[in-house]
Amino acid sequence: MQRLVLPLLVFVFVLNNKQRATAQDFYAADAIQEIRIYFSQPNWDFLLDSLNAADEEARLLVPLVLINGVAFDSVGVKYKGNSSYNPNRPKNPFSIKLDEVIENQDYQGHTLIKLSNGFKDPSFLREALGYEIANQYMDAPRANYARVYVNDNYHGLYTNVESIKSKFLSEHYYSSDNALFKCDPIQGAPTPPGCPPSMGGGATFVYMGADSTCYLRFYEIESDYGWNDLVAAANVLNNTPINAHQAFDIDRILWMLAFNNILVNLDSYSGSGHNYYIYKDDNGRFLPIVWDLNETFGNFTNAGTGGSGLNFTQLQQLDPLLHVNNPSRPFVQKLLANPKHRKSYIAHLRTILQENFVNNNYQTRGQALQALIDEAVQADLNKFYSYANFQANLLNNVTGPNFNIIGIATLMEARETFLLNHAEWQNVPPNIASVTPGAGQALIGNTVQVTATVANATLVRLRYRFNRAGIFEEAPMFDDGAHGDGAPNDGVYGAALTPLLAGKTDYYIYAENNTAAMFSPQRAEHEFYTLTVTSGMGIAAGAVVINELLAANDQGITDPEGQHEDWIELYNTTDQDVSLEGIFLSDDAANPDKWTFPAVTIPAGGYLLLWADEDQNQQGLHTNFKLSKSGEEVLLSNTDGSIIDEVIFGAQETDVSWGRCSDGGGVFAPMSPTPGIANSDCTTLVGEPGEGRIALRVFPNPLAMGQSLTLAINSPAVQEGYLSLVNGLGVELYAQRLLLHAGMQEIGLDVLKNLPQGLYWMRLATATGVISTAVAVHY
């Protein structure tokens, strides 16, 4: 028998989502992350350059990456970028793929990490500040900073930008597997035979015929399908723009155009005609997502109008109606030809300018970010500009042998003056003084009277939706004394709203006159007023519980479509049938109403199986979120916010479920899946080896405070194992990979001497099985 003592230092601590909530978010605005990349090859830079030259998607396998002290092995790393990448530069942008080899390996749910190198930005502000402003008005990536080390040598300060992948899509659009395109043309790609010329270049949704081949050089597909959808949308936009709202989320497009124009972000749809994503949501509409903001605030000077780049004065005086007559920019030309869209666009311009620049908020925020990163910038020996350039460029222009870059304040102070004196700003919009109710609760089917005090308007509309993932509909508001609006012509407009579904009913007010428009809230549709709609009934805590779940289903049961999907099992602990209609289920405590139950009842003492797969259009109960194999939380809550049940779980093994032992109130443990029936198989994964199985024993058990724990493991073969300790709440406290030999061996765990009193689960996963056993700690 072999005995192996594992000291504390060999353990890699793994935090699940609940623990991470107390730690810093990976994209927290006021934090600098630490990323350490350990290449095994001393010529790693040459290898990355060679891979990039041969295949831009190829990655170098890296044995170890540390993210804020959390270790990841077998990680894929490559250089990314177009103009920001150059093989002759010491500091190139990185793309780090954590799940290159190990499936579902992630950091806080993120599998792909994008690091920008500060190219063409002496201020180190343009991306972080630009994304922060964008997120006020649209769903956009988050960004902060990261100190990057290569083989323990400080390589420089990078901007850490959230990737547009399944996590981002699921969190914002409640789906992740619809058509997704990166709108980024292939440089120098020839025009295919039979296709029209590019009409100004760029991925701008110009219609180039029904053959999708004509679009391949402009759009990079990142989903399994979608070319026909993209071509059909371009056709509608250009040839029947009156129906553009059926193919596109118009409001999101208008916000993107307003953002690009105010911030002079010309390396975008509004200038070069690229650098954004477009995703088709479950409503069948494409919506844009801004991307690559390193040259915002006037650092890219091509306005997409031909000729040479704009000078500083032209950047400061960029026309807010740029491209309004340009057929190569149909988002502008076609949409702004509609008076309502044009007024909405100008209203969005006003909001961004007023909230960020008239009051100089951008300068205050920029100074705070520069103070945060000052030390890291000084220490960055690979940065592209001097430390003096960094200090100056927020407020002033900086120049050098090969650059002349406008100061952010130099640009925006003059731009503010120009816009405030522009003819469009002389059109006085309506004033919306108050909206009632601004929030509150309502019952399904009960009428809620919505009123708004509005001046200088010829038309007022209530826009609403009964589903957070739905499309806003529109109803007229009246000032006639007959719609709950008080006296006729008193400036108070009214409309009746009757919520039809439990959950969140969102609404906002739109008002216009002959020349201008106004929203309330002004950031609508990104922000809105919300009513919490209930059935008037709730479920007591513990009456219905999350009983079992499977976050990695490879060989288990299939859904009605024959697909192996994640699933969640609920159990009714009472002797009465319980209606779940209107109850919420979510995998995010910050968004507890993510999915709402339809009219469904769980029988007394019975079970209900839900598919966590985002396939809501399929037969059966399918949620709009998936489960994370790396661990997260699931919570069941009433519409008033009270928690019915909540489960936190750590990293999961494929085809091993996480369930209560026993049903309804037992401690969670890994087990053989038992969907829809009693969890009676709680201990079958612990036992003597037989037919290739592995055995696990712990002693002493119970364990007294200060005692050392010993594991006895009998392995049928030489194999790797993954050992972890989980507490009674399902939180994985730490984990360690082991190399086991055939036969019996003992492992001493001195690290467990100081565990608090309680019940824990020791778990060992190998290729021959997953086993676990309870460990009690007492004083």
Side-chain angles (χ1 to χ4, degrees), residues 7 106 111 149 190 295 358 419 466 599 636 638 652 656 687 698 715 742:
D106 67 76
T111 59
Y149 295 79
E295 294 188 78
V358 172
L419 289 173
F466 299 135
L636 189 68
N638 289 303
Q652 300 292 295
V656 176
V698 299
S715 175

Side-chain angles (χ1 to χ4, degrees), residues 608-685:
L608 183 67
L609 195 66
L610 312 168
W611 299 102
D613 58 4
E614 297 181 352
D615 294 329
Q616 297 184 86
N617 57 339
Q618 294 182 359
Q619 178 184 353
L621 294 172
H622 298 259
T623 70
N624 58 6
F625 61 87
K626 298 179 180 180
L627 299 180
S628 172
K629 184 181 179 181
S630 63
E632 57 174 340
E633 61 190 327
V634 178
L635 65 157
L636 189 68
S637 61
N638 289 303
T639 52
D640 64 0
S642 59
I643 302 297
I644 302 169
D645 191 33
E646 180 179 15
V647 171
I648 306 158
F649 61 93
Q652 300 292 295
E653 297 299 324
T654 300
D655 294 324
V656 176
S657 67
W658 184 245
R660 294 182 185 273
C661 190
S662 57
D663 287 331
V667 174
F668 272 90
M671 60 181 60
S672 297
T674 57
I677 60 175
N679 296 347
S680 59
D681 200 22
C682 298
T683 60
T684 58
L685 294 175

Side-chain angles (χ1 to χ4, degrees), residues 89-106:
R89 293 184 185 132
K91 182 183 178 184
N92 277 308
F94 286 111
S95 173
I96 301 174
K97 194 169 187 288
L98 298 179
D99 60 349
E100 177 77 1
V101 173
I102 301 174
E103 184 181 3
N104 297 318
Q105 183 169 243
D106 67 76

